[in-house]
Amino acid sequence: KEFETREEVRKLGFTIEENNVAIYLQSLWRTKKVKDKFRMLLKAKYICDNAEKNYVEQPQDMKALCNYTLYIHVMLNDYTKARGMYNNMMQFMTQRGVDNPFVLYSYAV
């Protein structure tokens, strides 16, 4: 047994047991990452589904305005309406007096 272990380390640089543990840990890590991405997708779907309702209920809320603008631009592909909403975002940002990186990036795109 000891000889086989030494030979594995000499030939492979690791033992079969170490390899199995590494594969197990990698699978745990990949599972965690998939779960995280799935949660993010569910959150994005929730934001998309409620973007219009939130904007209608709170038209002065910057977050609702940004989410609704992206919804119009990306999901509905209504570029003319989205262009006007991007202008509203810029005006709202200018009135607040603080640069919002999200608004600036979205407006640039």
Side-chain angles (χ1 to χ4, degrees), residues 94-108:
T94 305
Q95 290 170 357
R96 284 183 66 196
V98 178
D99 285 344
N100 185 327
F102 175 78
V103 173
L104 294 171
Y105 181 77
S106 298
Y107 190 78

Side-chain angles (χ1 to χ4, degrees), residues 2 11 18 20 36 39 50 67 83 91 93 104:
E2 210 173 288
K11 288 180 182 176
E18 290 171 341
N20 292 340
D36 291 347
R39 274 190 218 106
N50 295 301
N67 287 336
R83 192 172 292 118
Q91 289 173 358
M93 184 189 72
L104 294 171

Side-chain angles (χ1 to χ4, degrees), residues 44-61:
K45 182 174 177 357
Y46 177 80
I47 290 171
C48 264
D49 290 345
N50 295 301
E52 187 172 10
K53 178 181 74 83
N54 290 341
Y55 177 69
V56 170
E57 290 175 358
Q58 303 170 341
Q60 295 302 318
D61 182 29

Side-chain angles (χ1 to χ4, degrees), residues 27-81:
S27 69
L28 289 178
W29 179 254
R30 280 193 297 272
T31 301
K32 180 196 178 316
K33 293 315 249 176
V34 166
K35 285 180 182 179
D36 291 347
K37 286 183 181 183
F38 187 70
R39 274 190 218 106
M40 192 179 302
L41 282 172
L42 288 177
K43 187 176 179 181
K45 182 174 177 357
Y46 177 80
I47 290 171
C48 264
D49 290 345
N50 295 301
E52 187 172 10
K53 178 181 74 83
N54 290 341
Y55 177 69
V56 170
E57 290 175 358
Q58 303 170 341
Q60 295 302 318
D61 182 29
M62 183 66 157
K63 191 164 102 176
L65 175 63
C66 291
N67 287 336
Y68 184 55
T69 303
L70 278 177
Y71 174 73
I72 291 170
H73 185 181
V74 175
M75 301 305 288
L76 301 181
N77 296 323
D78 188 351
Y79 302 117
T80 54
K81 188 173 181 181

Side-chain angles (χ1 to χ4, degrees), residues 86-97:
Y86 282 121
N87 287 331
N88 291 346
M89 287 169 51
M90 285 296 284
Q91 289 173 358
F92 190 78
M93 184 189 72
T94 305
Q95 290 170 357
R96 284 183 66 196

